[in-house]
Each structure stands twice: as structure tokens, then as C-alpha cells.
Amino acid sequence: MIIDNTTFLSTHTPEDSQVALTLMKMLKELKTSMDISVLVLAHTPKKVGAFGITIQDLAGSKHLSNFADGVIALGDVKSERNVRYLMQVKPSRSGEHKFDKSNVILCELEKEDKFLSFRFLRFCKEHELIGQADEGGKDEKVARMKELQRQGKTVREISDEVGISKSTVCRWLNEAK
């Protein structure tokens, strides 16, 4: 069962922790009694600035996440309109924490035969996508980017080769002028 937007399940806001607790308990009982899987899509408030996604961003997060087997977040890549990233903010109870901030799944939204889908691009670090610079090795990366730029490579080609987002490539190259 897929529930898109928990706000339709209650006349109260799921940001209220008691409402979230009651909702998750009911869904867990339904899951157990009917032997089904439940996917709940919870929308988060808009975030300002270059901060990563955490479990605290989930509306009613403490209670929603306590009763969830696992929590996956879908994040925007501000510099690229049709690109999103997926990461585990709470690993499955039976699995490992493989897709954390240091190993997010970068995908591009595309339509195939009228169906919206994700096309896998690569694995990367979340900070590369949200504007937080990894200072470790920055000088070496900038030197490599300048060399690739002199060779006539595009920003996208440089981004792919160096392993950082296009927006970070542009920013670092402009800072280096």
C-alpha cells in the first residue's frame, strides 16, 4: 500500500507528534494484520541554505521514524532542475546503512512512455550536491579542473571526471580566477 501525503489521513497535522504517533501505530497494525508492505510518503518543509537532509526534517519525525522500518529521503539538487538524490536517513532494521551522506544515489528524472522514472547517474557525497565544499583536496581538484578547462572540456565533463557537482565546479573555478 502506498500513502502519498499523510495529511489526508487525519484532520490534524502530522507535524503534531501525538498525531504522528497515532497514525504510525495504526499503519503498523494494518501492515501486520494484513501482511502487507506500507510505503508512506511524507512531505517535509522547504529548507533554506546548504544543509543536508536529516531525520529531523521529517514532519513529526521522532514518532514517524520510530515506527518506520526504514526511512529514505529524496533531495533536490538545486543546481540541476531534473536531478534528485536518494539517501537513507534511517537504515532498514534488517539492513546496513549503505546509502548515507557519503554515498547518496544521484538520479535524473526522465519520462519514458509517459511514465516518470529515475535514471541512475552515479554515487556521490551529499555535500557535493548542496553546496557544502569538502575542503579536503580542494586545491588538487581545482588544479585538475583548470587543466580540464584548458583542454576544452565542458563543465559537465569536468564535473563527471572530478566527481563534484556542476555548480561546485563553476563556483570553484570562479573563485580561482
Side-chain angles (χ1 to χ4, degrees):
M1 176 170 65
I2 300 173
I3 298 171
D4 183 5
N5 200 342
T6 56
T7 55
F8 288 107
L9 297 178
S10 173
T11 56
H12 298 78
T13 175
E15 292 168 7
D16 177 334
S17 61
Q18 190 56 47
V19 172
L21 175 64
T22 303
L23 173 63
M24 291 304 287
K25 279 184 174 180
M26 288 174 18
L27 289 173
K28 188 168 177 87
E29 287 173 18
L30 181 66
K31 172 190 155 218
T32 304
S33 68
M34 297 187 72
D35 194 28
I36 60 172
S37 293
V38 179
L39 173 65
V40 178
L41 303 176
H43 302 269
T44 61
K46 299 285 186 223
K47 292 179 72 170
V48 179
F51 300 102
I53 299 171
T54 69
I55 196 74
Q56 300 305 319
D57 297 317
L58 191 58
S61 63
K62 183 166 177 30
H63 295 297
L64 288 173
S65 64
N66 283 345
F67 283 92
D69 291 331
V71 179
I72 298 172
L74 176 66
D76 276 335
V77 177
K78 303 295 181 208
S79 62
E80 299 179 54
R81 191 171 154 253
N82 289 325
V83 179
R84 304 288 187 273
Y85 68 96
L86 294 164
M87 67 179 271
Q88 292 172 292
V89 290
K90 177 185 174 184
S92 168
R93 297 181 201 282
S94 60
E96 62 182 296
H97 198 174
K98 185 175 179 180
F99 302 106
D100 60 6
K101 291 180 175 296
S102 64
N103 189 39
V104 301
I105 303 167
L106 190 65
C107 300
E108 184 172 30
L109 291 172
E110 62 182 19
K111 265 194 173 175
E112 281 186 36
D113 299 323
K114 300 181 184 178
F115 291 102
L116 187 62
S117 62
F118 287 115
R119 182 176 59 85
F120 173 80
L121 295 175
R122 62 185 167 93
F123 297 106
C124 60
K125 295 179 181 176
E126 183 186 33
H127 71 80
E128 296 169 0
L129 307 172
I130 59 174
Q132 293 176 332
D134 176 14
E135 296 304 323
K138 180 178 175 181
D139 292 340
E140 293 82 14
K141 287 180 182 178
V142 169
R144 179 69 181 139
M145 288 188 294
K146 285 181 175 180
E147 175 59 31
L148 293 169
Q149 191 177 43
R150 279 191 290 275
Q151 294 173 11
K153 301 280 186 181
T154 67
V155 171
R156 180 175 291 280
E157 291 168 332
I158 295 170
S159 168
D160 290 342
E161 182 151 337
V162 179
I164 58 177
S165 70
K166 291 188 324 182
S167 60
T168 302
V169 168
C170 291
R171 188 175 67 251
W172 286 3
L173 285 173
N174 285 334
E175 288 172 0
K177 287 182 181 178

